[in-house]
Amino acid sequence: MTTTTAVPVKAARPHSDARPTSGPRRRRLLPFSPWHLLLAPLSLLFALPLVWLALGSVMTNAEINRFPPALWPSGIHLGGYRYVLGNAMFPRWFMNSLIVSAVAVASNLVFGALGGYAFARMRFAGSRALMVAMLATMAIPFQLTMIPTFLIMKRLGLIDTLGALIIPSLVTPFAVFMLRQFFLSLPRELEEAAWIDGCSRLRVLILIVLPLSRPALSTVAVLTFLTTWNDLTWPLIAINHDTQYTLQLGLTTFQGQHHTQWAAVMAGNVITVLPVLLAFLGAQKAFIQSITSSGLKG
């Protein structure tokens, strides 16, 4: 009977040129995303009008009217700012715009939160049909509604007053829809626990839902402020006296039929854009967070 002995087999050494099949990813060549190579030039392209506005505000009228136009001011000329700030009505126009925008923002936050919470958490007869009808109004252009709105404001005796600018902007379908979408993304368990403790729906909304909805509230506030602050068409229709002008409407008085103070127009627009930029930069993080989270549920 023959016996066999097992011969140990040596493990084969890996070749020096063999590449590992698994391991940490190779280090990126760029310290940032490659998309930034495309987005950075685009952002500069979109910022050119704002840069030209700022440069034009410190030019003289002769430099602005020159052909070909001057791309860089010969010096810092503040004549446009002096002309704007020296106008006795400019502070009044600024306060009118601030009052109209502040009231519109506050009312959209209050009524939008109430309406959005009702559509998100309450089921009543015709709620879906009412929601669809409200969203359908967003597709109606303002040109079709400005005449009925003007007649209503005239019946109420509000033409040529700030009330004619405030009442049509008290609540918008966008505010209701935006807040509804965000409320749908919140867990119901938090609200149910409060109901068990005896809280009413209104108290649940104020104490629990709204503190968690700061991103959506910030978004609605910024967009409402932007829309109301920059509105020109409706104030042009509803306001006749210069003491009730908003800032956008007042800036049109710097443009005449035969002569236009372009330096003053540029300077006035810079002052007008600053509050909008500050509001957006202050709420930028909450704005992005709201946009990404409000579409989770529909």
Side-chain angles (χ1 to χ4, degrees):
M1 187 175 183
T2 60
T3 59
T4 60
T5 58
V7 179
V9 180
K10 294 182 178 180
R13 293 182 178 180
H15 295 285
S16 59
D17 58 346
R19 295 180 180 179
T21 57
S22 62
R25 289 185 174 181
R26 289 190 302 173
R27 189 175 182 182
R28 287 199 296 184
L29 298 178
L30 298 175
F32 49 82
S33 173
W35 281 104
H36 290 175
L37 296 176
L38 174 64
L39 297 178
L42 285 178
S43 63
L44 294 177
L45 180 63
F46 287 120
L48 280 179
L50 187 60
V51 173
W52 167 248
L53 179 66
L55 293 177
S57 65
V58 294
M59 292 182 182
T60 62
N61 289 323
E63 289 177 328
I64 297 175
N65 294 324
R66 182 187 306 168
F67 185 84
L71 300 180
W72 194 262
S74 60
I76 299 179
H77 305 278
L78 301 179
Y81 289 96
R82 285 193 291 265
Y83 185 91
V84 171
L85 298 178
N87 192 318
M89 299 302 298
F90 188 83
R92 180 67 179 268
W93 298 340
F94 191 92
M95 285 303 301
N96 290 341
S97 292
L98 190 62
I99 292 172
V100 173
S101 301
V103 174
V105 168
S107 62
N108 271 272
L109 292 179
V110 173
F111 297 125
L114 293 174
Y117 187 74
F119 282 117
R121 292 291 188 255
M122 301 173 64
R123 291 293 177 264
F124 50 89
S127 60
R128 291 186 178 274
L130 186 60
M131 183 68 186
V132 172
M134 183 192 69
L135 293 178
T137 61
M138 297 176 64
I140 301 176
F142 174 72
Q143 288 77 6
L144 295 180
T145 61
M146 62 181 180
I147 294 178
T149 305
F150 179 84
L151 295 177
I152 293 174
M153 294 299 105
K154 185 177 180 180
R155 287 287 185 91
L156 296 176
L158 297 177
I159 292 299
D160 207 17
T161 65
L162 295 183
L165 307 180
I166 293 174
I167 291 181
S169 303
L170 287 178
V171 62
T172 59
F174 172 79
V176 177
F177 176 72
M178 185 72 184
L179 293 176
R180 171 190 177 269
Q181 292 298 102
F182 194 90
F183 293 157
L184 289 175
S185 66
L186 299 178
R188 288 177 175 267
E189 290 76 10
L190 297 175
E191 302 171 46
E192 293 173 354
W195 293 338
I196 294 174
D197 292 338
C199 290
S200 62
R201 285 190 179 273
L202 183 59
R203 193 174 181 184
V204 169
L205 174 63
I206 296 175
L207 298 181
I208 296 178
V209 176
L210 291 184
L212 297 175
S213 305
R214 290 177 183 174
L217 295 174
S218 300
T219 301
V220 171
V222 169
L223 294 180
T224 303
F225 180 82
L226 176 64
T227 303
T228 310
W229 183 269
N230 291 331
D231 189 17
L232 173 63
T233 306
W234 177 239
L236 190 62
I237 297 172
I239 303 299
N240 299 318
H241 200 270
D242 58 354
T243 58
Q244 304 299 322
Y245 280 2
T246 58
L247 200 53
Q248 297 292 341
L249 189 56
L251 290 178
T252 60
T253 61
F254 297 153
Q255 302 182 28
Q257 184 177 1
H258 303 289
H259 181 68
T260 299
Q261 295 285 344
W262 286 114
V265 172
M266 296 284 191
N269 278 284
V270 169
I271 298 174
T272 304
V273 168
L274 280 179
V276 178
L277 284 179
L278 294 177
F280 179 78
L281 293 177
Q284 182 180 11
K285 184 177 180 180
F287 180 82
I288 297 174
Q289 182 181 355
S290 175
I291 293 298
T292 56
S293 61
S294 61
L296 294 178
K297 294 183 180 180

